[in-house]
Amino acid sequence: MVGKKSGKALLREEGLERTDNNMDLTAWPQVNMINQKNYYTEYLKRDDQILPLRLQQEERRNRMTTNAKDRDRALAQFKPGEVPVPDIEMDLDDDVGLDEGNGLVGQDALGSKIIVIHPGSQNLRIGLASDALPKTVPMVIARRSTTNESEEDRGEPRPKRLKLDNDSPMEPEKMFGDEFASQYATMCTELKIHMRSHKRRVLPNSKELIVNYNKRTPPETISEHNDPLRIDWTEIPSDPRTAPPFVTGKDALRIPDFSNPRYKLFWPLRQGWYNEHDYDEKRVLYDDIAVIIEEAIKTQLNIPRKKDWMQYGCVFVVPDLYERRYVTQILRMLLRDFGFARVCFIQESLAATFGAGYTSACVVDIGAQKTSVCCVEEGMCLENSRINLKYGGADVTETFIKMMLFDHFPYSDINLNRRYDFLLAEEIKIKFCTLNEGDISPQPADFHLRASGQPTRKYLFKTYDEILLAPQGYFRPSIFDHSWKLRDRRRIIDRSRDLYDGSPNDPISTAQSAIIAMTAPPPPPLTSLASNGHGDAPDGMAVSTPVRQLPNPLQKFSEQERTSHSAIGSPAPDDDDTPAPQGDGETNGIKNELDPSLRDDVLPIAPLDVAILTSIIHGARNDDRKTRDFLGGIMVIGGGSQVPGLYTYLEERLRESRPGFAKDVMIGTPPRELDPQGVVWKGGSVFGKLRQTNDSWINRIEHDRLGARVLAYKLMWAW
């Protein structure tokens, strides 16, 4: 007789025994049930629950009450036979000033009590909103130091020259390396071919003529009393106890390099970023920015007493692609350190359209060290069209000097780290550089070298194609020196991160992602071990990788327009094996949320015409009407745009790249003969004088209670 089996034995034999392997039943994320208690609340769903909005309503209500009392008081004082006071209805949105306690009332808000500040990497533009033009101050501060900037790094000059093994200088044709020599020779050959194809006269031995002339022309010495344009240098007391601890503005650039005591120049902003290379503590960096702006307000605006600043408001211009730590630090500085009554922010491209009076435009702002491109439509910067390139007019200056030295420039000892050489190089670039091919011919020129404690020297030299090839670097940025621009990036100031998940939350656009994707080096190719362990790549994964630099990224624009049915991505490379760029938020495999390391390690560099078309494509989102509007409303501003012939040259490049829209391309200039360098500041002053229906002003009470969180309610764009 077979014995009776237990229940466990039966489950084990039948395979029904339960075993716990600690695995979930499914890999799909499980959504928790809604908390019904909190789901039906009205927390932060009404305006009266948000402090900034509640304060605005209270201010309007108090102003309406005050106006009613004033009207009743005037009517009570009315006597028989007199004309009664007209009943004027006040618009509740007419915010003509702050309350009487803050000092901005009545006509003061039309500009005389509002300070507009637009800082840049090289210059600071500042003034009252009632001023016609801003005051321009170099964004630099000179501080006491043991050495000056030209004595650091063992006196390494800029641009950097190669030397022989015995530390003697190389020949000019070799002192900048083979790569620069090859690119320069290629640009010279292409220019010669282009000029011949356009029936322009080209002398066969023009280079040899100017090189021989520059070699054998010595300088002429001029005594100081015979120099009518001699420079007044900043005098520094010889006693270190009475010497000032710092000097700002133009006076800082006029301090003799070898003064006693020594002074070193510090530029707090470089390439539109914080200059973390020259600073060891972020507190010192923040203080230098505050000191430069504070001294400019005292000296340029004639407001010396800091206690009077609480009667003023401030309009501060920030980049289109800003960093959140920069904006929050500036807000804290303006309200707490400076004591302004209220502050508001405006983006550079939007301010440019305010200053020019345009409603829609593609704004191209070429600054000293950065170039920004952004499409503006109906008073808003299109987020996905924002591009920030890290080159500008200063790169043209350095490249122009390198090309001149390559062709045996007579002043071979020029060093842009020296203050007087830096000012001389800027003067020469502004005087000679052009993009008009008709000006290309061997031409004699001269300049005067003025250094402190030395007699004036007059140099004679000749120029040829250097004056055109240097500004052509905007369209061939590989000729620029980018080796130092990422040095010490994120060394003392970390990236802003989200409070909850810790992810980077600085703004990024799909257009900027496309530029970074084109600039980034290709990832390593997939190996047999890295693919699937059997020597084959996984299904659906392309083995090819994007190329580092595109020879002509615009060749497939027309093809993309014919085949794409969604938002056009970035320009596709010429390599057929390269994956095509994805549309609507993803370009070349890089989504809107870029890898933080890629953001910080890759310098966004692209030809100017490529950047403009990329911005327009991502801003128009495959809408032909918007594309034509933006191509017909390109506005080029900034100090770097003042190269003669730039507008015509840029139009030709854009028409060649987009033949289907050739008749629509038009480069506009700022109207009313505005200086291209001051258009952004002018827009800030116009914005400051508007009746504040946009509710973008931030006062001290809001900042003290909410801190940087108030920006989410006050900014005109998504924070």
Side-chain angles (χ1 to χ4, degrees):
M1 180 177 179
V2 180
K4 185 178 180 181
K5 295 183 179 180
S6 64
K8 292 184 178 180
L10 289 174
L11 292 176
R12 184 168 56 251
E13 291 178 0
E14 299 295 334
L16 300 177
E17 183 180 6
R18 180 178 179 180
T19 58
D20 189 4
N21 53 9
N22 295 325
M23 294 183 64
D24 295 333
L25 297 178
T26 177
W28 287 91
Q30 299 185 14
V31 180
N32 297 326
M33 296 185 64
I34 297 175
N35 188 338
Q36 299 293 334
K37 180 179 179 181
N38 297 330
Y39 184 69
Y40 292 103
T41 62
E42 296 183 353
Y43 178 64
L44 292 182
K45 291 186 177 180
R46 299 196 310 267
D47 290 348
D48 57 358
Q49 296 173 336
I50 300 175
L51 178 63
L53 302 179
R54 188 168 66 247
L55 292 177
Q56 292 173 5
Q57 294 175 357
E58 292 178 359
E59 183 180 351
R60 293 172 181 172
R61 188 161 49 249
N62 294 336
R63 186 168 60 248
M64 185 173 60
T65 303
T66 303
N67 294 334
K69 290 181 179 179
D70 294 341
R71 184 167 56 252
D72 293 341
R73 187 181 300 109
L75 292 175
Q77 296 176 355
F78 168 70
K79 297 180 181 180
E82 294 182 358
V83 179
V85 179
D87 187 9
I88 301 177
E89 294 185 1
M90 295 292 296
D91 187 359
L92 295 182
D93 289 335
D94 288 351
D95 185 12
V96 296
L98 292 180
D99 52 58
E100 297 180 357
N102 287 325
L104 275 75
V105 292
Q107 299 297 321
D108 289 341
L110 295 178
S112 61
K113 292 294 185 179
I114 296 177
I115 299 176
V116 183
I117 302 175
H118 179 210
S121 299
Q122 187 164 310
N123 290 310
L124 166 70
R125 290 178 175 84
I126 189 171
L128 297 175
S130 57
D131 295 339
L133 297 173
K135 306 293 192 303
T136 301
V137 180
M139 191 71 182
V140 63
I141 182 172
R143 289 193 176 275
R144 295 271 296 271
S145 178
T146 56
T147 59
N148 59 38
E149 58 276 8
S150 63
E151 296 175 327
E152 292 189 337
D153 298 333
R154 296 178 297 178
E156 184 71 38
R158 184 167 65 94
K160 185 178 180 180
R161 284 90 147 171
L162 300 178
K163 296 183 180 180
L164 299 174
D165 295 337
N166 56 1
D167 207 25
S168 58
M170 280 188 173
E171 298 179 1
E173 295 84 356
K174 302 178 180 179
M175 64 171 54
F176 299 114
D178 297 336
E179 183 179 357
F180 177 81
S182 175
Q183 291 193 56
Y184 185 31
T186 302
M187 294 177 70
C188 294
T189 304
E190 291 177 354
L191 176 62
K192 193 175 298 184
I193 295 174
H194 185 268
M195 293 181 66
R196 286 174 177 171
S197 65
H198 285 70
K199 309 300 182 182
R200 296 190 182 275
R201 182 182 178 185
V202 179
L203 298 177
N205 58 345
S206 300
K207 275 289 187 188
E208 292 76 7
L209 289 176
I210 66 169
V211 168
N212 294 331
Y213 181 85
N214 293 339
K215 281 182 179 179
R216 66 173 186 266
T217 305
E220 176 187 354
T221 303
I222 302 176
S223 58
E224 186 177 1
H225 63 274
N226 289 330
D227 184 8
L229 299 177
R230 58 182 178 270
I231 297 175
D232 295 330
W233 301 94
T234 303
E235 296 183 1
I236 300 296
S238 58
D239 188 358
R241 294 174 297 182
T242 59
F246 62 84
V247 181
T248 63
K250 297 180 181 178
D251 294 338
L253 295 177
R254 292 303 185 185
I255 298 178
D257 288 71
F258 300 99
S259 62
N260 186 20
R262 289 281 198 278
Y263 282 82
K264 179 183 176 182
L265 297 184
F266 291 90
W267 304 81
L269 300 178
R270 300 273 83 177
Q271 283 78 47
W273 288 331
Y274 282 129
N275 180 10
E276 301 179 65
H277 173 64
D278 295 334
Y279 291 88
D280 296 327
E281 298 179 5
K282 60 181 179 182
R283 185 70 262 168
V284 180
L285 173 60
Y286 297 156
D287 289 344
D288 279 0
I289 296 177
V291 169
I292 293 173
I293 297 178
E294 179 179 343
E295 292 298 317
I297 295 175
K298 292 180 179 178
T299 58
Q300 302 297 324
L301 305 185
N302 298 321
I303 312 176
R305 298 190 305 173
K306 207 168 183 178
K307 64 180 181 180
D308 295 336
W309 295 3
M310 63 179 61
Q311 303 176 5
Y312 289 81
C314 178
V315 177
F316 198 93
V317 183
V318 297
D320 304 324
L321 275 178
Y322 54 87
E323 292 186 347
R324 293 169 67 100
R325 290 190 182 273
Y326 173 74
V327 178
T328 55
Q329 172 60 29
I330 292 297
L331 177 62
R332 186 181 305 111
M333 177 189 71
L334 296 177
L335 289 177
R336 292 186 178 178
D337 299 341
F338 290 178
F340 287 132
R342 56 180 183 172
V343 175
C344 72
F345 293 97
I346 185 173
Q347 293 170 296
E348 287 179 340
S349 296
L350 179 59
T353 58
F354 269 86
Y358 295 161
T359 56
S360 299
C362 178
V363 181
V364 182
D365 188 355
I366 306 177
Q369 297 184 6
K370 75 173 180 64
T371 298
S372 62
V373 185
C374 181
C375 295
V376 181
E377 184 180 24
E378 300 299 336
M380 290 295 293
C381 293
L382 300 181
E383 294 183 354
N384 285 334
S385 69
R386 296 174 295 177
I387 291 178
N388 195 312
L389 307 175
K390 300 305 178 182
Y391 62 76
D395 296 275
V396 175
T397 302
E398 183 174 352
T399 304
F400 178 59
I401 296 300
K402 290 173 69 175
M403 291 180 176
M404 294 299 299
L405 290 172
F406 192 92
D407 294 336
H408 294 262
F409 189 54
Y411 181 32
S412 59
D413 194 34
I414 188 171
N415 180 6
L416 299 185
N417 286 332
R418 290 197 290 253
R419 296 153 200 171
Y420 57 88
D421 282 349
F422 168 75
L423 297 174
L424 173 65
E426 289 287 338
E427 177 185 350
I428 295 176
K429 179 198 71 172
I430 295 174
K431 185 176 181 181
F432 297 110
C433 282
T434 181
L435 280 172
N436 294 321
E437 292 184 0
D439 299 335
I440 305 303
S441 63
Q443 297 181 1
D446 64 83
F447 67 90
H448 293 78
L449 176 63
R450 299 176 176 90
S452 176
Q454 302 177 17
T456 302
R457 284 173 287 174
K458 180 180 180 181
Y459 285 86
L460 301 176
F461 66 102
K462 282 189 175 182
T463 63
Y464 182 50
D465 55 1
E466 310 91 349
I467 60 177
L468 184 139
L469 296 181
Q472 268 191 0
Y474 290 144
F475 308 94
R476 191 191 289 259
S478 58
I479 197 67
F480 295 151
D481 181 15
H482 308 295
S483 59
W484 56 275
K485 295 181 180 179
L486 285 176
R487 190 183 304 167
D488 295 330
R489 176 75 169 148
R490 301 296 181 195
R491 183 170 62 91
I492 61 176
I493 302 177
D494 193 13
R495 175 177 290 278
S496 175
R497 297 186 178 276
D498 188 83
L499 181 62
Y500 298 99
D501 58 10
S503 61
N505 57 0
D506 282 334
I508 190 68
S509 67
T510 56
Q512 184 78 354
S513 302
I515 297 297
I516 295 178
M518 289 189 290
T519 311
L526 293 175
T527 61
S528 58
L529 295 178
S531 57
N532 57 6
H534 299 285
D536 298 328
D539 294 338
M541 179 178 296
V543 179
S544 60
T545 57
V547 294
R548 170 184 171 87
Q549 188 174 0
L550 308 179
N552 189 356
L554 301 176
Q555 289 183 354
K556 293 193 176 181
F557 266 131
S558 58
E559 181 181 354
Q560 287 181 2
E561 289 180 350
R562 293 192 302 267
T563 59
S564 176
H565 297 283
S566 61
I568 300 180
S570 64
D574 292 337
D575 188 4
D576 293 334
D577 294 334
T578 304
Q582 304 295 325
D584 195 12
E586 186 174 344
T587 54
N588 282 355
I590 295 184
K591 297 182 180 180
N592 193 20
E593 291 298 330
L594 284 174
D595 182 19
S597 60
L598 187 58
R599 285 195 194 180
D600 294 336
D601 297 340
V602 177
L603 193 70
I605 296 295
L608 184 59
D609 53 340
V610 174
I612 294 174
L613 292 177
T614 303
S615 175
I616 291 177
I617 286 174
H618 287 267
R621 297 180 63 84
N622 207 28
D623 188 336
D624 285 348
R625 182 187 61 81
K626 288 185 178 180
T627 301
R628 297 180 187 277
D629 291 343
F630 288 140
L631 286 173
I634 300 176
M635 181 174 62
V636 182
I637 59 174
S641 67
Q642 294 184 303
V643 180
L646 175 62
Y647 297 164
T648 304
Y649 188 86
L650 180 58
E651 277 187 358
E652 294 177 358
R653 298 271 302 196
L654 293 174
R655 287 169 179 166
E656 292 175 0
S657 302
R658 302 299 300 270
F661 295 91
K663 62 180 181 180
D664 300 308
V665 176
M666 183 177 298
I667 309 296
T669 58
R672 300 186 298 273
E673 298 182 356
L674 286 175
D675 184 1
Q677 300 178 84
V679 175
V680 175
W681 181 93
K682 189 65 177 179
S685 67
V686 172
F687 176 74
K689 290 183 289 187
L690 293 177
R691 293 179 175 179
Q692 304 307 320
T693 55
N694 51 32
D695 300 328
S696 59
W697 289 99
I698 303 172
N699 57 44
R700 283 175 291 184
I701 298 178
E702 296 168 343
H703 183 263
D704 291 341
R705 295 184 182 180
L706 298 179
R709 290 179 297 167
V710 71
L711 294 171
Y713 302 103
K714 288 293 188 174
L715 294 181
M716 295 184 295
W717 63 91
W719 172 250

